[in-house]
Amino acid sequence: MRSIGKSFPGVRALADVSISVRSGEVLALVGENGAGKSTLMKILSGAQPADTGEIFIDGERVHIASPRDAERLGIGMIYQEFTLVPQFDAVANILLGKEPQRGFFLDDGEAHKRAAALVAEFGIDIPLTRPVGELSVGIQQLVEIAKALAKNVRVLVMDEPTAALSEREIDRLFEIVATLKGKGVGIVYISHRMEELARVADRVTVLRDGATIATRAISEFPIDDILQAMVGRPVDARFPELPALAADAPVRLSVEGLNAAAVRNVAFSVRSGEIVGLGGLVGAGRTEILRAIAGADRATGTVAIDGAPLRARTPNDAIEAGLAFVTEDRKAQGLVLGMNVLANTTLAHLDRFARVLGWLDSDAEERATEAMVERLRIRTPNTAQLVSNLSGGTQQKVVLAKWLLGEPRVLLLDEPTRGIDVAAKAEIYELMVGLARQGVAIVMVSSELPELLGMSHRIHVVRNGSIVATFDRADATPTNVIAAASGAAA
Amino acid sequence: MNPRIRLIGTIVILLLLVIGVNIAAHGSFLEPSNIVRVLRQITYNCILGVGETFTILTAGIDLSIGSLVSLTGVVMALLANSLHLTGFALVAVVLFAGIALGAGAGYVNALPVVRLNLPPFITTLAMMQVALGLSYIISHGRPVPLTSNAFNSIGIGTFLGGLSAKLHLPALPIPVLWMAAVVIICALLLEKTRFGRSILALGGNEEAARLAGIAVRRVKTMAYVISGICAAIAGFLYMALFATGSPQTGTGDEMLNAIAAVVVGGTSLAGGRGTIVGTFFGALLIGLLDNAMNLLNIDSYLQKVVLGAVILLAVALDEIRKRYLAAR
């Protein structure tokens, strides 16, 4: 892929990206969230068109206008979210869309033969006849790979393939990767796990802000240099100064013995005016910790705000106790896209505007929303604008407005700047600092290391649902946070 | 897409239809007496559709409303015949009992939906069978004629007859006033209250609504309760009209026609988007179409075909317009 460029309204996702992968090679593609990896791969798979640039396969220039084109050209994708039909067995999933037929009817015997031959060829050990929904995530991942291989791939893209796998399953995955290399398949391997690169990659390409920064053989590219290339700038330059924490600042939020699905015995506290970062890999349980605190999921343990334990554990109780939870996925959990700015802003605090018989005082709603629009500099023509028409950064500000309307004492932020442009990010950082100054206790989950390091007084690293390491601002470095997150010795 | 904009499509189709038919029918279509006839005819469908709108806005559905019309009608008739009351007191007690029954049935509809996450299609399908069965059991399958004439004025009476006569206008039937009251109250409930906002929010994004502290279960339950209440009001008006509680009402197309009115009125079956006023216009469009085809002597079997095509067309046009606006 040469000189690929792609812009979205308001965002330049890719400026000038070139990557190449050779036959029988694993190219690791690394970069921070938002660096452009996913966009690049969507272009390669035909899910989105490129604005500029060219793609060559085996020296031949190709046009990829649709996923069908990509498939025809031998480009296979394995996404983070599986594309399997859970009720079907592995055979049916592997041959989906190209089922062998005898006359008008499906030829089950032939299908089974073909699937079995395929998995044997690549040494993939999976049960062929059980519904894949009953299999573990790791096995499903292998089914997904077999499905891609059934299309005679020449280039296979694997997006964070190990995110949900156990150590043993990862070993098996890497064996299969080795087999594929032996058969001449070129593999693009996307991962956040630095410690994997040395094991699996031949070369590494670093993307940053939609551009290729460096491509080098893994043997000449120490992990520290890769991190440096990914981050690019002195780590804390683009973050505002955090307010100093008063020595006697009282504890605002305290969490003890918190247990939930994917959360194990978590305890920590946050003082008034403090920003605590939760670091760790995707799937480590950080989001689940926030959800458990906010009453979004069933949980046991004690959560106290200003010393008063929350009693019943529902979102409503948490809101009434002064807690606000800005969720990770604003479209799925934060916003009602079909409603306007006003309705989204007041949604969590409707009782404040409700009069007799639940009648909403629309003038009061309008005033409160306009005040928020001004305070957060929400770029919208008016409060009646549907939020689906706003940019990502503006949408995120609407979510923040919804929660700040309640003047929360504790603010939980899950990936507060994911997918939004640099200017909006800076505004959100400023806002966090301002809230901390006012004494709000903030817990932030972030997968962006610079953000985590630059915006936290203290960092807890989460792995397998537990806090495994704690660093003060002065001690936290990219290397020791990543080491703790991935379980490697620092 | 703003539901108010979606509504415009329905109204435009309505106007074109009205003008075209009026020409074809030599002016008889737009005669005041004919308009009033249409309004009276759409009363029941509109009231049922308004209730149905709430459940559809939560991304659910209520299939039981037709059966509930039958059950509440029979129960109210039996009750009216057994009470030693007269006049207004009798009407009030019977109506109150019918509404309580409808609300209770709605609550039962909602219970498995909010507690066990069962699909409302299933729970209300079950209620549809149960309610109709009960209706036949308690009436022994026969219509229950009302012994009191206290209900006559509600079923066939008119409003301000003297005034309209002076203005040479047809008098408004009382059921039309009931319809107007239901539409106005429910429209205000949906657009102007915390409950309405909560319905729209949870229909648009249930998880976001839950995390915003909205009592999702309670709000959903209320949607089915309102639907049951609207079915009871329709049952009450049917009973008053025919002076009979008949188990056979509600076995026909009531539920499907109500859903058609909701959908033609611009409410999304996916939930979260729609208006009560839209449902009124949806019911009006279907009613005008029926009436027009009768005036034009269109074969009654063909009428069904046309009606189906119009429902499809109205929703398809809406979808096309939505895409067109989204693409800009």
Side-chain angles (χ1 to χ4, degrees), chain B residues 267-327:
Chain B
T267 294
S268 160
L269 277 178
R273 244 180 9 211
T275 58
I276 298 298
V277 176
T279 298
F280 167 75
F281 279 106
L284 186 61
L285 175 68
I286 292 170
L288 284 174
L289 203 66
D290 259 344
N291 178 265
M293 289 192 289
N294 282 331
L295 284 182
L296 301 177
N297 286 322
I298 291 174
D299 172 72
S300 67
Y301 298 136
L302 186 59
Q303 288 190 12
K304 281 197 166 289
V305 177
V306 173
L307 189 63
V310 164
I311 291 170
L312 193 65
L313 190 72
V315 179
L317 280 178
D318 193 55
E319 194 62 36
I320 290 165
R321 194 178 57 246
K322 208 164 61 188
R323 283 199 198 158
Y324 171 73
L325 288 171

Side-chain angles (χ1 to χ4, degrees), chain A residues 291 296 315-316 319 327 331-336 339 342-343 346-348 350-351 354 357-360 365 386 403, chain B residues 1-2 188-189 191-195 197-198 200-205 207-214 217 272-273:
Chain A
R291 289 180 63 88
N316 201 24
I319 291 167
T327 48
K331 289 191 175 160
Q333 295 153 16
L335 293 169
V336 184
M339 299 204 315
L342 180 141
T346 59
L347 191 61
L350 285 177
D351 49 351
L357 293 173
W359 189 271
L360 289 173
E365 280 190 287
L386 290 187
W403 292 111
Chain B
M1 176 64 42
N2 191 321
L188 291 176
L189 190 64
E191 302 268 330
K192 296 288 180 191
T193 70
R194 181 182 178 173
F195 166 73
R197 185 72 59 77
S198 304
L200 291 168
L202 86 86
N205 187 340
E207 180 68 2
R210 191 175 76 90
L211 292 178
I214 286 170
R217 288 176 170 183
R273 244 180 9 211

